[in-house]
Amino acid sequence: MNTSIKAITLTISVLAAALTSNAQNAAGVAGQVNQAGNKPVEFATVTLLKAKDSTLVKGAIADINGRYEFEQVKQGKYLVAAVSVGMTKAYSPVFDVTGNKVQVPAVSLAAVSKALKGIDVTARKPFVEQKADKMVVNVESSITAAGGSAMEVLEKSPTINVDKDGNVSMKGKAGVVIMIDGKPTNMTSQDLAEMLKSMPATNIDQIELISNPSAKYDAAGNAGIINLKLKKNTSYGTNGNLTASVAQGVRPRWNGGLNLNHRNAKLNVFGSYNYSHREAQQDLGVYRSFTDENGLRVYDQTNKMHQKSDYQGGKIGADYFISKGHTIGVMVDLADRTQRYPSQSVTNIGNGMRIDSALHTNTTYNSKWRRGSYNINYRGILDSTGRELNVDLDYARNTDKQLTDILSLSRDAEGKRIMGSDTSRNNQPSRIEIKTAKFDYVQPLKNQAKLEAGVKVSFVTTDNNARFDSLRNNNWVLDDNRSNHFIYKENVNAAYINFSKQFKKLNVQLGLRGEQTNISGNSQSVNAKGDNKVVKNDSSYFNLFPNVGLTYVLNKSNTLGLTYSRRIERPSYEDLNPFEFYIDRYTKQSGNPYLRPQYSNNFELTHTFKDFLITSIGYSHTKDMMTRILEAEVDRTTGDTSVIRYKYQNVAKSDNFNLNVSVPMPITKWWMSFTTVSVSYAKYQTVVDNNLVKLSSGAFFGRTQQTFTLAKNTAAEVTFFYVSPQVTNEGLFKMKSMSSLDLGVSQKIMKGKGSLKLNVTDILGTNYFRGEFENAGRFTSISSKWDARQVRLTFNYRFGNTNVKAARARQTGLEAEQNRIKQGGN
C-alpha cells in the first residue's frame, strides 16, 4: 500500500514539474511519429531520454496527427523514443538542447510483425490507451488480471466499479451496456454475471470504454458502452494461443482455452474453445428489525453457499474476401453452463434480547443453461471515396432450466423441538429468442466531413414458465401463489443519422436516433381449481435521442471536449416477469410487469493535457430510474407481515455529478504508473411503503496500478483500489467502504513465446460488501463476503506464423438486446 501511495505522490510531482513554466535555460522539444507511407501514428507513447545513460526525463503521448512536444527541457544532450501498439520501438538521433526550440527529425515506426534477422520482435502494449472516442484497456498488459475471470479484469478497468451483485457502473453511473465482440450476450443478469465469472481473462484482448456513444449505437445504456473484444488471431497461415490457469481461495477453480486461426489471401477461418471449473464460497448475512403490535421484532439470518459451476464455450467463424473491399462473414457462438448451489441458512427470530425460535433452511439449486448466437455479415467499400455499407443479420437463442428444492424447519430457542416444517420445489424453464437486422451506411463528404445513416429492426420473445409445488401429506401440490407462465414480446424499429466535420481546431459531431417500441407482456397463473388469472401489459411508444459532440484544440498541450446525449434503459426481460423467488419463508424477490423505461440526459466536459492527463466533469439526470428496493410484504397464504420483498421499481428521479481523472505516467525507465480517480455526488427520491425516501451522498473511487520491469523478461505489478462509503444505485443501501490490494509477477519463457504469471488478489481481505437501508421504522443490514482472496498461476503459449495481417473487426446487430438479459447475480 505504501508503494501505491508513493506512486501517486510521484505522479503528482511529475505533473507539477511538467506544468512549471519558469525554469531557466530551458527550451521546447517537438517532433512527429510516423509509420510506413509517412502516415502519422495516432497516440504513440513518446519518452524523452538523456543521451548519456538513457534515463527517463519526461513522457508524453502523441496526438491524433502523430505530433508531440516537451516543454521546459533543460540544456543537454537527449534522444526521443517512440512506441505504439503493434509496432517496434524506435529512437531519434541524439540532439542538443541549447536554449532554442528543437525540432526532432520524424521517428518512423515499423510493424511488429517484421522479423529482424530471424529474431521475433514483440511489443508490450500499455495497460491503457486513450483513443479519440474511447478508452482502451489492454488486458494482457495487466499481470494481476492474469488467470482471473472476465468479471475480475472488468473490475480492474479505469472508472469501472462492480457491486456485490455483479452490476456494473462507469464513472459513478449505473446502466452500462456490455457487449462482447460488438454484440449482446442475450442472457439474464445472473447468466451474464456467471458467464463473465466463468470466462478466462486470457480470452479477452481489449476492453473498450465508450462513455458517450454516437447515434449509430443503440440508445440503450445510461452510462455508456463497455465492449469486450475477444482474441482472434489474424496471421497468414495457421497460428494459435494456448492458456491454462489454476487458482486457490477458500475453494479451488481452474480454466483453460485454445484459440486457432488459419488465413490465406481469400479466406480467414477462426475458432476458439474455453472451459472453466469454478467453485466459490459466499457468506451472506441479513439483519432486520421492525416494530409491530407485539413490540420489537428481530430477524438475524446467516447464509453459507458453496457455488459450483462448469462452463464451456466455443466460437467458430469465417470471413471470405470476395474481392478488394468486399467481404462476407459468418459466425457461430455456442456456450453451455451447469451450476450447483447448495446453501444452508439459519434465521434467529426474537426481540433483540432473546431468541424465540430459529428457521433452518436448506436449499439445493441446479441450473442447465445453453446459448447459441448466429451471425451473417457483409462489409463493402463501394468506391475509392470511402463509401461503405455494413449489413448484419443475427439470431440468438438462450434456454435455461432451473430446479430448486427448499426444506425449512422451525425450531425452538434451544434448537431441540421442531415447531413446524415446509418442503417445496420449483421448476423454472425459460427461453429467449432474439432476431435482428441492421444496415449501416457511411458517406464521406467534402472538406473533412462525413455522413452516417442506418436502420435496425429487432424482435424478442421470452417464455418463462415457473411452477412451484409444496409437499402436503406426502403429496406434491401446486402452489398457485408462486407459479405463473410469463410470455413477453418486443419489437423495436430504429433509424439514425450522424454528421461529423473537422473545422481546423474544432471537430463537430451531431446525431439523432429515433426508436419506436412495441411490447406485449402476458402473465398467467392457474390455481388448484383450474381458474386462470391473467396480468397483461401492452404498450407502444416512440422516442428521439439526440447527441452532440464538440472537440476543440486550444493549443498543442490542451484539448477540450463537450458532449451531450439522451439515452434510454429498458427493463430487463427478467425483471418484467412478476413471478416470486423465495430465499426463505421471510425473504423473497419478485419481478414487476409494470416497470417503465428510464431516461437520462447526460452532459460531459473533458480536458486533455498533452494527450495523457485526462480530466472529465459530468452531470446526468435520470427520470424513472429503475432499482431494486426492499419493502414490507404480507404473505398471501399465511397473512404473515414479517416478509420483505426485494423488487425492481421506478425511482422518481436521480441526479449524478462526477469528476474523473486518469493519469498514465512513466516514473522511471523501469517503473510505469497508471492512476484513475472518480469523485461523484448522487441524489435519489422515491416512495417505499407509502413513505417518501430522499437520499444523497458523495462517493470516491480510486485505482492505481504500478508496473515494474525487474529484468529483461521479468516484471511485477501492484494494484490497489478503494471505494468510499456511499448510497448505492442498486437498492439505495448506505454502504461502507471496500478496497483490495493485489500483487503479481510475470516471467517470459520458451524464447518469449510463453509466459508464467503468479498473482495474489485481495491480500488484506477487505473486498466485501456491507450496507444498510432504513424506511418507515424498518431497518435492514446486509453483509456479503465472497471468495475474493486467491492465489493464481497462469501459463500462456503462442504458436504458429507471426506474419500478422490485420483482420476486420465486426460489430453485429445485437448490442442492446444482449445487455437486457442483465448483469446481476454473484
Side-chain angles (χ1 to χ4, degrees), residues 462-766:
T462 72
D463 190 330
N464 301 271
N465 192 2
R467 178 186 173 94
F468 284 76
D469 297 312
S470 297
L471 190 62
R472 299 287 185 266
N473 298 321
N474 294 322
N475 292 313
W476 289 106
V477 179
L478 173 68
D479 188 338
D480 54 299
N481 285 324
R482 308 185 199 181
S483 302
N484 82 85
H485 187 190
F486 179 67
I487 298 177
Y488 175 83
K489 295 182 179 181
E490 178 185 276
N491 162 233
V492 177
N493 304 302
Y496 74 89
I497 186 169
N498 197 68
F499 171 79
S500 61
K501 181 173 172 57
Q502 183 71 43
F503 297 92
K504 294 185 178 180
K505 293 186 175 183
L506 177 66
N507 180 272
V508 177
Q509 179 177 278
L510 304 172
L512 181 65
R513 186 179 185 91
E515 294 188 353
Q516 192 259 341
T517 305
N518 307 295
I519 63 174
S520 174
N522 189 322
S523 176
Q524 179 179 347
S525 59
V526 181
N527 61 24
K529 298 179 181 179
D531 299 327
N532 289 334
K533 179 182 178 181
V534 178
V535 177
K536 290 187 176 182
N537 181 24
D538 297 343
S539 65
S540 179
Y541 52 89
F542 176 79
N543 296 113
L544 290 174
F545 302 97
N547 79 281
V548 179
L550 304 174
T551 303
Y552 184 74
V553 180
L554 294 173
N555 50 49
K556 293 181 179 180
S557 299
N558 298 277
T559 302
L560 288 178
L562 178 65
T563 60
Y564 162 76
S565 64
R566 181 174 188 256
R567 303 190 67 79
I568 185 176
E569 184 172 355
R570 299 178 177 89
S572 74
Y573 312 124
E574 178 184 43
D575 293 329
L576 290 168
N577 188 348
F579 94 88
E580 298 177 337
F581 173 76
Y582 282 72
I583 299 173
D584 62 24
R585 185 186 303 171
Y586 303 108
T587 312
K588 64 180 179 180
Q589 297 180 171
S590 70
N592 183 357
Y594 301 107
L595 273 178
R596 302 181 303 275
Q598 68 179 34
Y599 297 90
S600 67
N601 288 281
N602 306 289
F603 302 84
E604 186 172 67
L605 175 65
T606 304
H607 173 252
T608 304
F609 175 71
K610 289 187 177 294
D611 295 298
F612 82 99
L613 174 60
I614 305 155
T615 306
S616 67
I617 300 174
Y619 167 71
S620 177
H621 174 76
T622 304
K623 176 184 177 183
D624 289 336
M625 172 182 161
M626 295 178 294
T627 187
R628 281 191 291 188
I629 299 292
L630 285 172
E631 63 178 3
E633 176 77 356
V634 178
D635 190 283
R636 289 175 292 179
T637 302
T638 64
D640 193 336
T641 60
S642 304
V643 178
I644 59 170
R645 179 170 61 175
Y646 204 26
K647 176 183 178 181
Y648 265 99
Q649 297 183 19
N650 287 104
V651 174
K653 62 181 180 180
S654 167
D655 293 279
N656 178 281
F657 304 84
N658 62 82
L659 168 67
N660 306 276
V661 181
S662 297
V663 188
M665 173 63 67
I667 295 177
T668 68
K669 186 177 181 180
W670 48 269
W671 183 355
M672 180 67 187
S673 170
F674 179 81
T675 301
T676 180
V677 173
S678 296
V679 180
S680 62
Y681 177 79
K683 298 191 299 182
Y684 307 94
Q685 178 177 309
T686 187
V687 175
V688 180
D689 294 331
N690 297 319
N691 290 283
L692 179 64
V693 176
K694 289 185 177 181
L695 294 170
S696 63
S697 78
F700 171 85
F701 172 81
R703 184 186 302 278
T704 183
Q705 178 175 299
Q706 311 301 317
T707 304
F708 308 92
T709 302
L710 304 180
K712 181 179 179 181
N713 294 315
T714 307
E717 184 178 284
V718 180
T719 301
F720 178 77
F721 84 81
Y722 173 81
V723 181
S724 72
Q726 59 188 276
V727 175
T728 63
N729 287 298
E730 185 74 7
L732 302 184
F733 285 99
K734 294 180 180 179
M735 67 166 280
K736 297 184 179 180
S737 64
M738 297 171 56
S739 62
S740 180
L741 175 65
D742 306 337
L743 300 177
V745 294
S746 69
Q747 177 69 46
K748 290 183 179 180
I749 58 176
M750 304 171 75
K751 298 182 179 179
K753 292 187 175 182
S755 68
L756 283 174
K757 296 181 181 181
L758 176 68
N759 58 71
V760 184
T761 60
D762 193 25
I763 293 173
L764 304 178
T766 52

Side-chain angles (χ1 to χ4, degrees), residues 396-407:
R397 177 186 173 93
N398 293 267
T399 61
D400 194 6
K401 186 174 183 180
Q402 302 178 25
L403 300 172
T404 308
D405 296 305
I406 305 172
L407 172 62

Side-chain angles (χ1 to χ4, degrees), residues 23 27 60 90 155 171 185 213 217 281 283 285 298 309-310 335 575 608 630 669 708-709 764 767 781:
E155 290 177 311
K171 296 184 177 180
T185 53
Y217 293 95
Q281 181 75 34
D283 297 326
V298 174
S309 175
D310 289 282
D575 293 329
T608 304
L630 285 172
K669 186 177 181 180
F708 308 92
T709 302
L764 304 178
N767 190 12
S781 174

Side-chain angles (χ1 to χ4, degrees), residues 238-263:
T238 302
N239 59 28
N241 181 77
L242 176 68
T243 183
S245 175
V246 61
Q248 180 68 53
V250 178
R251 305 285 182 178
R253 61 191 69 183
W254 56 84
N255 61 60
L258 174 67
N259 291 274
L260 290 172
N261 188 87
H262 178 80
R263 176 171 176 149

